[in-house]
């Protein structure tokens, strides 16, 4: 009965958090940053060929509508008036590339996901055209030439999809990352939708000059991308347009609410963790793992395999802030892989129970290089391996090794960041869905040998998008002044093993990483003929893992 009389003080702000694995809509109290309600929908990933990763843009859009509708229903059940929602922010998986028809609103191909590897031969041929002594791509964008970023995905679509080519010729095509696709659709779509992106998402395309904060003509000519299909670049906090609700959506009360915040998910988490000072860093554990360190108003270029990226620009007239970023392709995705591909767990939460049963990997090491290795190696030839197996190894040890792999990858990024910044981090702020796993958090503290600090409300990505939206000029319901920001309660994990043991485990992991490299000796996934070299390592270790699991069960008398 008390819940039905719940009083909500102050205006509310909604946030769309569209990630690789799921979509969420969350609503916060702008005065206290309290999360009032949310809804989540899992998103399908399609793997049409070896190394290809796609998603349906319409499924993504419909998942946003569904999450908004269900969250509004839940707020109604809590007796909270949804007309109190004064702004909406958008946070999104970055680099994932969509091209659609501006006249019909229909996608012209599936979204090519950031993890996708089909463009490796495009990357190889383009890299031959960059002078060795003048890497103008990296100096302008802060990024290495890699399959990871949007420009090469867009180049592939222009080269291989006739519907895309024809739409460009007829001036019907629009390109965007997921934020652009959602904002265009949510502000009216083919009936006047706003085609824009923000500086953080633009900085991940490899077409954007991070110094001038504009699309770069030289880069567009290098990748042969027509500039007319690119979205307008805006700051991360301003009114882009007003919500025009789909006729299929019952939550009509959000009609006319401004969409006024937009941040790529990792920048949103940096804002949500309130890392506004030079040298503050956070690590987000999602499908991948992303460690960002705020470098203030100066670009710091890494000499140890990290990316230079735009952190945020919180207003049209506000300064731009930059970050160093370490990107790990596979973190939470390894848990999903154990669930969906190997079937050794039924739900993602089960991995903590399995790992707890053994408390050690018993010398088993897992390198989940399913999409090659990202930072600090940038090695596309790597593929996933599990090594150190014995007849004693069982699925619990593999589960533990999978969690350790996430922590070891983070250690590699942190080491690179410490070398680039010169000031080692005294602790690591963490967020994201995987931080609910206490075994993982303790392992991370042990392997880094520094404390790991987790906010009690882990939805910092959505919180960052909500903060940007609520603080926008013309909305003004969220103050970003340090004295007004709500104090956040934290959970702290201290290292519990000695430094020597931590170093031994880490150096063994690095040996395993070396063994994962060089698997793909020819890259033919672009033409759709996966070579035996492409398919051998994953296929080999899936089969060997299954054989080992059956053998281990038999030897240990397990049913």
């Amino acid at each position: 009965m008390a819940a039905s009389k719940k009083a909500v003080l102050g205006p509310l702000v909604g946030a769309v958090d569209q990630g690789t694995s799921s979509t969420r809509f969350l609503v916060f109290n702008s005065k206290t940053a309290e999360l009032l309600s949310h809804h989540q929908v899992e998103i399908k990933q399609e793997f049409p060929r070896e190394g290809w990763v796609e998603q349906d843009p319409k499924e993504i859009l419909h998942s946003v509508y569904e999450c908004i509708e269900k969250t509004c229903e839940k707020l109604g059940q809590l007796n909270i008036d949804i007309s109190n929602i004064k702004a909406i922010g958008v946070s999104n998986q970055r680099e994932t590339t969509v091209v659609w028809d501006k006249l019909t609103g229909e996608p012209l191909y599936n979204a090519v996901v950031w993890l996708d590897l089909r463009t490796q031969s495009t990357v190889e041929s383009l890299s031959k055209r960059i002078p060795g002594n003048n890497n103008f791509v990296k100096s302008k964008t802060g990024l290495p030439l890699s399959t990871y970023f949007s420009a090469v995905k867009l180049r592939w679509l222009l080269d291989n999809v006739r519907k895309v080519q024809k739409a460009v010729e007829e001036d019907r095509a629009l390109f965007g990352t997921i934020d652009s696709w959602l904002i265009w659709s949510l502000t009216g779509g083919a009936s006047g939708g706003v085609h824009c992106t923000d500086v953080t998402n633009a900085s991940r395309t490899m077409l954007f000059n991070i110094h001038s904060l504009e699309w770069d003509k030289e880069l567009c000519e290098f990748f042969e991308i027509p500039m007319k299909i690119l979205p307008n670049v805006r700051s991360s906090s301003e009114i882009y347009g007003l919500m025009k609700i789909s006729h299929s959506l019952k939550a009509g009360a959000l009609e006319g609410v401004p969409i006024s915040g937009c941040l790529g998910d990792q920048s949103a988490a940096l804002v949500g963790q309130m890392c506004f000072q030079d040298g503050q860093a956070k690590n987000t554990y999602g499908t991948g793992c992303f460690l960002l360190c705020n470098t203030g108003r100066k670009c710091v270029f890494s000499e140890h395999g990290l990316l230079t990226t735009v952190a945020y620009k919180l207003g049209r007239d506000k300064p731009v802030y930059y970050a160093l970023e370490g990107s790990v392709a596979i973190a939470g995705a390894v848990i999903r892989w154990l669930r969906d591909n190997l079937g050794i767990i039924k739900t993602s939460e089960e991995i903590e129970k399995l790992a707890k049963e053994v408390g050690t990997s018993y010398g088993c090491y897992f390198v989940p290089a399913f999409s090659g290795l990202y930072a600090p190696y940038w090695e596309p030839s790597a593929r996933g391996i599990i090594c150190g197996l014995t007849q004693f190894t069982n699925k619990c040890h593999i589960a533990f090794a999978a969690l350790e792999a996430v922590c070891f990858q983070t250690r590699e990024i942190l080491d690179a960041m410490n070398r680039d910044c010169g000031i080692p981090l005294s602790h690591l702020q963490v967020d994201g869905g995987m931080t609910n796993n206490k075994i993982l958090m303790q392992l991370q503290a042990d392997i880094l040998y520094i404390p790991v600090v987790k906010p009690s409300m882990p939805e910092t990505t959505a919180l960052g998008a909500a903060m940007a939206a609520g603080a926008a000029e013309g909305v003004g319901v969220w103050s970003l002044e340090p004295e007004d920001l709500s104090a956040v309660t934290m959970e702290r994990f201290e290292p519990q093993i000695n430094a020597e043991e931590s170093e031994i485990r880490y150096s063994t992991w690095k040996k395993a990483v070396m063994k994962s490299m060089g698997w793909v000796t020819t890259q033919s996934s672009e033409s759709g003929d996966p070579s035996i070299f492409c398919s051998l390592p994953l296929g080999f270790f899936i089969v060997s893992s299954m054989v080992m699991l059956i053998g281990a069960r038999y030897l240990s008398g397990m049913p």
Side-chain angles (χ1 to χ4, degrees), residues 115-171:
L115 285 163
D116 189 279
L117 288 176
R118 75 187 68 185
T119 54
Q120 184 52 37
S121 65
T122 305
V123 168
E124 285 165 8
S125 61
L126 285 168
S127 63
K128 289 173 187 157
R129 292 170 43 202
I130 298 177
N133 59 349
N134 174 26
N135 189 341
F136 68 95
V137 174
K138 189 165 187 185
S139 63
K140 287 185 177 203
T141 67
L143 310 173
L145 195 57
S146 164
T147 58
Y148 182 17
F149 307 107
S150 311
V152 288
K153 301 179 194 303
L154 180 52
R155 182 68 259 147
W156 186 91
L157 290 167
L158 290 165
D159 287 339
N160 293 279
V161 182
R162 181 60 194 139
K163 279 171 78 174
V164 171
Q165 295 162 356
K166 196 164 185 293
V168 170
E169 288 160 12
E170 296 172 3
D171 201 22

Side-chain angles (χ1 to χ4, degrees), residues 212-226:
S212 67
L213 303 183
E214 295 173 333
W215 298 121
D216 190 284
K217 192 167 182 289
E218 185 186 13
L219 290 169
C220 289
E221 285 171 357
F222 176 71
F223 290 104
E224 297 177 71
I225 302 294

Side-chain angles (χ1 to χ4, degrees), residues 80-306:
I80 295 170
D81 187 349
I82 60 175
S83 68
N84 282 333
I85 298 173
K86 302 302 181 190
I88 291 167
V90 174
S91 158
N92 57 286
Q93 54 170 310
R94 303 169 304 168
E95 300 93 19
T96 296
T97 299
V98 189
V99 181
W100 66 94
D101 187 319
K102 67 183 177 186
L103 301 182
T104 65
E106 290 295 309
L108 297 166
Y109 191 78
N110 269 348
V112 181
V113 177
W114 56 278
L115 285 163
D116 189 279
L117 288 176
R118 75 187 68 185
T119 54
Q120 184 52 37
S121 65
T122 305
V123 168
E124 285 165 8
S125 61
L126 285 168
S127 63
K128 289 173 187 157
R129 292 170 43 202
I130 298 177
N133 59 349
N134 174 26
N135 189 341
F136 68 95
V137 174
K138 189 165 187 185
S139 63
K140 287 185 177 203
T141 67
L143 310 173
L145 195 57
S146 164
T147 58
Y148 182 17
F149 307 107
S150 311
V152 288
K153 301 179 194 303
L154 180 52
R155 182 68 259 147
W156 186 91
L157 290 167
L158 290 165
D159 287 339
N160 293 279
V161 182
R162 181 60 194 139
K163 279 171 78 174
V164 171
Q165 295 162 356
K166 196 164 185 293
V168 170
E169 288 160 12
E170 296 172 3
D171 201 22
R172 290 182 288 109
L174 296 178
F175 152 79
T177 42
I178 294 295
D179 57 305
S180 297
W181 164 242
L182 293 180
I183 292 172
W184 184 84
S185 301
L186 293 172
T187 56
S191 306
V194 178
H195 187 217
C196 69
T197 189
D198 90 303
V199 288
T200 68
N201 282 295
S203 78
R204 312 298 292 191
T205 59
M206 260 190 333
L207 301 170
F208 184 72
N209 188 314
I210 60 173
H211 310 287
S212 67
L213 303 183
E214 295 173 333
W215 298 121
D216 190 284
K217 192 167 182 289
E218 185 186 13
L219 290 169
C220 289
E221 285 171 357
F222 176 71
F223 290 104
E224 297 177 71
I225 302 294
M227 293 182 81
K228 65 183 180 181
I229 70 173
L230 304 179
N232 292 319
V233 183
R234 313 274 286 269
S235 77
S236 311
S237 177
E238 62 179 272
I239 295 175
Y240 312 113
L242 306 181
M243 285 282 280
K244 288 187 183 167
I245 296 298
S246 153
H247 61 83
S248 64
L249 193 67
K250 296 172 201 156
L254 296 191
E255 183 89 31
V257 174
I259 298 177
S260 53
C262 179
L263 290 152
D265 50 11
Q266 303 315 318
S267 287
L270 195 73
V271 171
Q273 284 269 30
M274 296 166 206
C275 294
F276 294 125
Q277 301 300 313
D278 197 336
Q280 287 185 305
K282 67 88 208 171
N283 196 33
T284 299
Y285 299 76
T287 298
C289 216
F290 302 89
L291 205 160
L292 267 70
C293 180
N294 188 331
T295 62
R297 291 164 69 172
K298 61 184 184 296
C299 282
V300 175
F301 282 88
S302 173
E303 294 179 12
H304 300 96
L306 304 182

Side-chain angles (χ1 to χ4, degrees), residues 447-459:
I447 287 164
L448 295 180
Y449 212 65
I450 58 172
V452 166
V453 180
K454 174 196 163 189
S456 55
M457 200 285 292
E459 302 293 353

